[in-house]
Amino acid sequence: MSKSSKLWLAAVAGLLAAFVFAALVLARSFPLTALSDIVQSLLLLSGVAAFIPLVLRSRGRMRLFWSLIALGISFWFIYQLLWTYYEVILRTDMPDLFAGDIIIFLHIVPLMAALALRPQVPRDEYAARVGRLDFALLLLWWIYLYVLIVIPWQYVVADVAAYNRHLNALYVSEEIAFLLSLCACWITSTGAWRSLYAGLFGMSFCYAAGSTAANWAIGRKVYYTGSLYDIPLVIAMAWLTWLGLRTKAEKPSSTDREVSTLYGVWVARCSMIAVFSLPLFAAWALSDTHVPSRVRIFRLALTLVAAFFMGVMIFLRQHLLDRELIYLLDHSRESFDNLKRLQAQLLQSEKLASIGQLVGGAAHELNNPITAMLGYSDMLLSTPLTAEQQPLAAKIGQYVRRTKSLVASLISFARQAPAPKSALDLNTLARTAVKLTQSQWEPLEIQVRTQFDSALPKVWGDSNQLLQVCLQLVANCLHVLSERGGRVLTLSTERLADTCVLVISTESMPFPQAIGGSRSSPVDSSPVDSSPVDSSPVDPEDGLGLSACQGILGDHRGQISRERREDGAILLRVELPVTESAPATGKDSTVPVLRQSQPYA
């Protein structure tokens, strides 16, 4: 606590001590009355000022909570100022039928509203709206009770005795309800909030006891301002300043979350009880024959008006409940659909895992005979062959290599393991793929040309996987060329925004001149072979090769697309993000779709 707060508390303690001393020593007199009223006004003003910093430091529901407490104390302070005005300025007693009595009755209402907020319990916006409506019903009910029970004896039929009797009974009932609410908050809270509610309960109990004792003394004509009956009231007023300066409950406490639902249920039940009590009060107003008829008619009309307004509030509350139920129903349906999709995905994943194990084992078993066939085909090409035998032997080697590439794709598919990534040069990967497939396109007398962008930025990925993609695509295009009679394979790279693009295309016409300053470097300029080819072409999309490529590119946040021209030529585009926009680690869950474009003339 700061030095100024300690001085503040010391001044409050001095005022309290001065009042107690005067109440014990001085007899009934105007100086005692003036001292008592002034001390009580200063203590209540101090209590309001002690809670103002809490209002300014907080936000949201917390600010509203402290504001309501300060408002309740302010009502109390205003009533005390009116009392001081009559007794000190006018030097007269308070009127018997005083219109300002409603202020002291209503000063507990903002305090009840503060308790209903329960700022220490985190709540969603829906719960806050419904809770405000529930408590608004209770507040309206308390005002209805005051007008129903007290006001008739003040304005309809003036009766001082009945007015005081009904006012005191209703005020005591309100104090008891407030004390029970404070007790519930005290028991269900923890930490600094528990200390705050305990302090508020002690202050309110002290005030309720002093107020009851003072009313008892007034009824027996033994009360006067500044008497011993005022000591509990003054202690309660001084207690307010101590609470405002010492409290540390300025943040919600997550440990109180479990009691939020139960508390909200009881608030809703109390609001419904208040609504259902209206017919009982109407029946009581009609059956009470001991009061004048004007009072009965007034109470009955008031009950009808209150029933109308409470009915409107019930309608609004039900509207909010319906909206929330519809939202929860839609949310539950969406969650159920998501759960079904997740179950289907898990089932599919289990199937793929089983297929991957089966495929991996079969692929490893196939590798050995394929390697042997590849060796024998290379040995066959190295022996002297006739002009008719040479292309047939080359086709044997090509198909064996294609089978080996498919088996490698199967093994890669079966592993499904992430690999470390680094910055790579896409041009280097493409040149390496061309070099490694030279043994495939040279015997087929296919001309391979490259057109690479020398300023192409690097991409982020695994060199082995991306090289496998390049090899697979080149092998597929070579297969298409051998089957459809094409003789030119083109590889080119370019940059489009934040994407590096590798284009692999098959052409049956002579290679065009380079444009835009790019360089075209033929890798092989062998003459076109006019020997007949197989008339049963195989679409490169029909094999597992492109599916494996799609999986690898999906892991690299890339995609592959295909264009098929009317002349049968194929154009494959591989797009990969540049290093600046690619993640250093992690795996993106987005799987690119192989796009099929429409043929063009």
Side-chain angles (χ1 to χ4, degrees), residues 2 46 53 57 70 106 130 160 178 191 224 237 242 262 287 292 311 348 361 370 457 466 512 536 555 560 601:
S2 64
S46 174
R57 289 199 302 261
L106 292 179
V130 174
V160 176
F178 181 58
Y224 59 91
M237 295 174 184
W242 184 83
L262 181 61
S287 61
Q348 186 67 18
I370 289 176
L466 292 182
S536 57
D555 184 46
I560 180 173

Side-chain angles (χ1 to χ4, degrees), residues 347-482:
L347 182 60
Q348 186 67 18
S349 298
E350 292 177 357
K351 290 181 179 179
L352 289 176
S354 302
I355 294 174
Q357 293 177 357
L358 177 62
V359 167
H364 281 293
E365 293 297 329
L366 290 174
N367 256 338
N368 293 330
I370 289 176
T371 302
M373 287 187 291
L374 185 60
Y376 286 127
S377 65
D378 290 340
M379 291 175 59
L380 181 62
L381 286 173
S382 63
T383 60
L385 297 174
T386 64
E388 294 180 355
Q389 293 173 339
Q390 185 72 25
L392 295 177
K395 282 198 172 188
I396 293 174
Q398 177 193 355
Y399 280 108
V400 172
R401 287 185 174 87
R402 176 170 172 79
T403 305
K404 185 176 180 63
S405 176
L406 291 176
V407 171
S409 298
L410 287 172
I411 295 175
S412 176
F413 170 77
R415 287 175 181 171
Q416 296 290 325
K421 298 180 176 62
S422 59
L424 304 173
D425 184 3
L426 191 57
N427 292 337
T428 302
L429 291 175
R431 290 192 185 97
T432 304
V434 171
K435 189 67 177 176
L436 292 177
T437 56
Q438 186 173 359
S439 60
Q440 300 181 44
W441 48 263
E442 275 188 343
L444 299 174
E445 299 182 350
I446 294 175
Q447 188 180 35
V448 178
R449 300 195 175 192
T450 59
Q451 187 175 354
F452 297 144
D453 183 0
S454 59
L456 190 71
K458 293 185 177 182
V459 298
W460 195 269
D462 175 62
S463 58
N464 292 328
Q465 289 184 345
L466 292 182
L467 179 59
Q468 179 185 346
V469 170
C470 296
L471 290 171
Q472 185 66 56
L473 298 181
V474 170
N476 284 2
C477 290
L478 290 175
H479 180 73
V480 171
L481 288 173
S482 66

